Amino acid sequence: EETYMLAVTLDEWKKKLESPNREIIILHNPKLMVHYQPVAGSDDWGSAPTEQGRPRTVKRGVENISVDIHCGEPLQIDHLVFVVHGIGPACDLRFRSIVQCVNDFRSVSLNLLQTHFKKAQENQQIGRVEFLPVNWHSPLHSTGVDVDLQRITLPSINRLRHFTNDTILDVFFYNSPTYCQTIVDTVASEMNRIYTLFLQRNPDFKGGVSIAGHSLGSLILFDILTNQKDSLGDIDSEKDSLNIVMDQGDTPTLEEDLKKLQLSEFFDIFEKEKVDKEALALCTDRDLQEMGIPLGPRKKILNYFSTRKNATGINRPTLQPASGANIPKESEFCSSSNTRNGDYLDVGIGQVSVKYPRLIYKPEIFFAFGSPIGMFLTVRGLKRIDPNYRFPTCKGFFNIYHPFDPVAYRIEPMVVPGVEFEPMLIPHHKGRKRMHLELREGLTRMSMDLKNNLLGSLRMAWKSFTRAPYPALQVSEAAEETEAEPESTSEKPSDVNTEETSVAVKEEVLPINVGMLNGGQRIDYVLQEKPIESFNEYLFALQSHLCYWESEDTVLLVLKEIYQTQGIFLDQPLQ
């Protein structure tokens, strides 16, 4: 606008305006202004932007523009959901970041609120649910580990190795005590920071908070929730702090430790260098020397913190030999009262030893999308989850997955290992089962009926054939029997059928006890695959793992469960 005003005032045109991201706008005259997209070279993957050639026309004002301008989001926020991403910087097949994918999730939820919660919106009972992204990949890879990895990475198949270092290695980082601490600290501190900032900007917010995790992000949240404390204590004072509240019990401060060592005069140096107890525990002799600490105090400090490190069990092995005496403890979740050394929650899941930060709020529901939680718990040595186990601070837990997702695993069989039952089928957002699934079930039922009828007719034929040589005096009795038996034999398959259907009905009607992890409700929820996906499961496997961001069925389940906690239900219950 400034350039346009200058051009009109001075009557000087052909002006070229370049934005910081290399977009170019040329003002030829008041009626002709063109916008050129940046002509970028290839990126790390060798792909070039699609829009390079033809420029776009720039118009001033909103007249004669055939684009619908969005009226904006409802101002009232009913609930806040933090969304944590999985491995790698990209969250979908278009290599978009967590921010862009959560934007999709938010826009889908706004559309579904208008279609499925119309009455509640008209009565001004609800506004919207706010979804906020939490990024831990960037802080992890800004620790300098990428430079260290690059030194040892082979030069061949460069793109594949770059992809491996940037994406797949996140799983191994999470199983490393050093980087696992970085990841959980980042996730918890970001959620605490954003929550505090959100309350500052929305002082009238009275709603609850839920959390959602995709892929590895769900495992991170699961571990954080497992290691929370039930009583949050002085939570109101913690809301004002932007720092993570570390669950360290009555651990002395750095100043008290230095006072104990009679080295209080060096506290100002550590404070100036922003070195806390954890950073000091990682310092070497050379680091302390560069800070200006003399030799004697250096040795005292290093010796003190090394002994403290071993005493608090930071380096202790978490996996114990699988002896008979340890099986009950290793094979079940222990209750939240079991603690080890006062600092760590002993849930017997073989996780690396880290200090889990405390969240400054109690999440109401935890949603896991395409989650490998079940697999990781099994690999850690957990055989089953105690049916009475629940998260200390979170009431609800929903494990949502696509049937072809190669990363997703179930949770309920770990709670009820001796019973086989199907997961809950997530209804289609249009209120019915997908057509191809109904057709498949209909064909299955029809084939079962045909098989039962065929077996029944064969059984009748065989019995009548075997009764043929009976004496003539017993014809009337045989006739009566054969009249009675066809009914009984023909009823037998139907009896089997009715038994099967009654069992199926019972399974649908009677609630299955899957423990208290989700407050007594079902935990595993499976999406309905699209017709095109059912043609080839392998072809759509990767896409299935990344489908949740734009899945109306997933978003609708999230909205339904969140608003149920407020006593608000769908306009029409989905079948």
Side-chain angles (χ1 to χ4, degrees):
E1 278 295 299
E2 290 176 2
T3 308
Y4 180 82
M5 190 177 77
L6 196 64
V8 170
T9 308
L10 301 176
D11 197 23
E12 293 179 0
W13 297 96
K14 307 286 183 185
K15 284 195 173 286
K16 183 178 178 183
L17 182 65
E18 189 169 349
S19 68
N21 57 351
R22 294 184 298 156
E23 294 184 9
I24 298 171
I25 298 175
I26 299 176
L27 287 67
H28 292 286
N29 57 55
K31 293 185 179 180
L32 179 60
M33 291 172 281
V34 289
H35 175 203
Y36 290 90
Q37 294 289 330
V39 181
S42 60
D43 57 11
D44 292 332
W45 299 93
S47 60
T50 53
E51 297 180 20
Q52 286 187 10
R54 297 180 62 182
R56 297 176 177 180
T57 303
V58 180
K59 295 184 180 181
R60 292 185 70 248
V62 292
E63 295 84 7
N64 303 322
I65 294 181
S66 59
V67 177
D68 292 331
I69 297 173
H70 196 271
C71 60
E73 300 172 335
L75 294 176
Q76 178 189 335
I77 299 174
D78 306 315
H79 203 87
L80 182 62
V81 181
F82 292 109
V83 185
V84 180
H85 65 85
I87 60 172
C91 294
D92 67 356
L93 288 174
R94 286 177 278 176
F95 294 98
R96 296 186 305 168
S97 67
I98 179 66
V99 175
Q100 294 168 302
C101 289
V102 170
N103 285 343
D104 271 356
F105 208 85
R106 191 184 299 115
S107 63
V108 171
S109 87
L110 288 172
N111 293 334
L112 289 173
L113 284 174
Q114 292 172 3
T115 55
H116 290 72
F117 292 87
K118 198 170 185 179
K119 289 179 184 176
Q121 275 198 337
E122 288 173 354
N123 298 333
Q124 295 184 343
Q125 289 179 287
I126 63 171
R128 65 185 170 97
V129 176
E130 180 62 283
F131 297 91
L132 296 177
V134 176
N135 181 12
W136 56 266
H137 181 270
S138 302
L140 170 66
H141 287 264
S142 62
T143 57
V145 67
D146 285 359
V147 178
D148 298 334
L149 282 172
Q150 194 58 40
R151 284 200 296 266
I152 58 174
T153 303
L154 301 182
S156 57
I157 51 171
N158 186 38
R159 288 179 190 167
L160 182 58
R161 294 189 195 279
H162 173 76
F163 173 77
T164 303
N165 289 353
D166 206 32
T167 305
I168 298 173
L169 285 192
D170 285 351
V171 179
F172 297 97
F173 283 135
Y174 190 63
N175 286 320
S176 151
T178 304
Y179 294 107
C180 180
Q181 187 70 64
T182 303
I183 291 170
V184 295
D185 285 353
T186 303
V187 170
S189 63
E190 270 297 283
M191 290 200 294
N192 287 342
R193 183 187 69 82
I194 297 170
Y195 180 65
T196 308
L197 192 61
F198 181 82
L199 290 181
Q200 289 173 3
R201 295 180 178 178
N202 301 273
D204 299 329
F205 176 71
K206 304 295 182 189
V209 184
S210 293
I211 54 178
H214 176 240
S215 190
L216 183 64
S218 64
L219 178 68
I220 298 167
L221 291 176
F222 183 89
D223 288 337
I224 290 175
L225 286 179
T226 302
N227 290 276
Q228 294 297 295
K229 293 285 186 184
D230 193 6
S231 58
L232 290 181
D234 50 348
I235 187 168
D236 294 328
S237 63
E238 288 175 350
K239 281 183 184 177
D240 300 329
S241 172
L242 293 181
N243 300 321
I244 305 177
V245 182
M246 301 299 292
D247 185 16
Q248 295 176 350
D250 299 326
T251 311
T253 61
L254 176 60
E255 191 172 7
E256 290 170 351
D257 282 334
L258 291 174
K259 193 174 181 180
K260 194 185 296 182
L261 294 171
Q262 298 180 346
L263 299 173
S264 299
E265 66 267 23
F266 299 110
F267 178 69
D268 292 336
I269 297 175
F270 292 127
E271 196 173 28
K272 184 182 176 183
E273 295 288 338
K274 295 183 179 178
V275 174
D276 56 7
K277 284 183 70 171
E278 290 186 14
L280 191 54
L282 299 171
C283 285
T284 61
D285 185 71
R286 187 173 178 180
D287 294 331
L288 296 176
Q289 188 178 357
E290 288 175 357
M291 287 185 216
I293 311 292
L295 177 63
R298 283 205 311 268
K299 294 300 180 186
K300 278 186 182 181
I301 291 168
L302 290 172
N303 180 59
Y304 177 77
F305 278 95
S306 64
T307 53
R308 288 278 298 171
K309 197 176 188 181
N310 294 329
T312 53
I314 290 174
N315 291 329
R316 73 173 190 281
T318 55
L319 286 174
Q320 301 190 8
S323 61
N326 288 332
I327 285 175
K329 190 172 180 182
E330 291 286 330
S331 63
E332 292 189 5
F333 262 115
C334 300
S335 65
S336 57
S337 61
N338 265 348
T339 53
R340 195 186 314 184
N341 293 335
D343 288 335
Y344 302 97
L345 188 68
D346 181 6
V347 290
I349 54 172
Q351 170 62 329
V352 293
S353 177
V354 296
K355 290 183 178 178
Y356 284 94
R358 184 185 295 182
L359 299 176
I360 59 176
Y361 50 84
K362 287 186 176 183
E364 292 195 16
I365 307 175
F366 168 35
F367 298 99
F369 306 137
S371 171
I373 291 172
M375 179 270 290
F376 270 88
L377 294 181
T378 304
V379 168
R380 290 172 183 175
L382 185 76
K383 298 188 187 304
R384 66 182 295 268
I385 298 173
D386 188 346
N388 296 319
Y389 176 76
R390 63 177 75 191
F391 294 124
T393 59
C394 184
K395 297 175 185 175
F397 175 36
F398 290 85
N399 182 37
I400 302 166
Y401 61 92
H402 190 283
F404 304 156
D405 188 341
V407 180
Y409 290 82
R410 289 191 65 182
I411 299 288
E412 290 173 342
M414 297 189 72
V415 183
V416 195
V419 182
E420 287 189 10
F421 53 94
E422 294 296 319
M424 291 290 286
L425 189 69
I426 298 175
H428 191 263
H429 65 283
K430 290 184 179 176
R432 57 169 176 76
K433 195 175 282 189
R434 289 187 186 270
M435 192 67 72
H436 68 290
L437 294 179
E438 289 182 349
L439 182 63
R440 186 193 300 166
E441 286 181 4
L443 289 172
T444 306
R445 277 197 298 268
M446 190 171 69
S447 63
M448 286 295 293
D449 291 344
L450 285 172
K451 186 178 77 171
N452 289 332
N453 289 333
L454 181 61
L455 287 172
S457 59
L458 285 173
R459 201 177 288 124
M460 282 169 52
W462 175 253
K463 286 192 175 182
S464 62
F465 175 73
T466 52
R467 287 204 177 98
Y470 280 13
L473 290 174
Q474 299 176 354
V475 168
S476 59
E477 296 177 8
E480 288 176 5
E481 285 180 356
T482 50
E483 281 177 8
E485 282 180 4
E487 292 178 4
S488 62
T489 51
S490 62
E491 281 175 6
K492 277 182 183 174
S494 63
D495 285 345
V496 172
N497 241 359
T498 51
E499 283 178 11
E500 287 177 358
T501 52
S502 65
V503 168
V505 168
K506 281 179 186 175
E507 281 185 357
E508 289 178 6
V509 174
L510 294 176
I512 299 169
N513 183 14
V514 289
M516 299 307 296
L517 198 53
N518 191 22
Q521 296 184 65
R522 294 292 300 273
I523 301 168
D524 293 337
Y525 287 79
V526 62
L527 290 164
Q528 302 178 36
E529 74 271 17
K530 296 176 182 176
I532 192 171
E533 293 172 344
S534 59
F535 285 118
N536 192 322
E537 299 176 2
Y538 295 94
L539 188 63
F540 292 95
L542 180 59
Q543 180 179 320
S544 300
H545 183 56
L546 306 171
C547 74
Y548 306 98
W549 308 114
E550 298 176 355
S551 166
E552 291 97 338
D553 300 351
T554 302
V555 179
L556 188 59
L557 177 65
V558 171
L559 293 176
K560 181 170 76 76
E561 294 301 329
I562 284 174
Y563 278 114
Q564 270 185 9
T565 61
Q566 302 176 17
I568 296 168
F569 301 91
L570 292 167
D571 292 343
Q572 293 179 348
L574 298 178
Q575 298 296 325

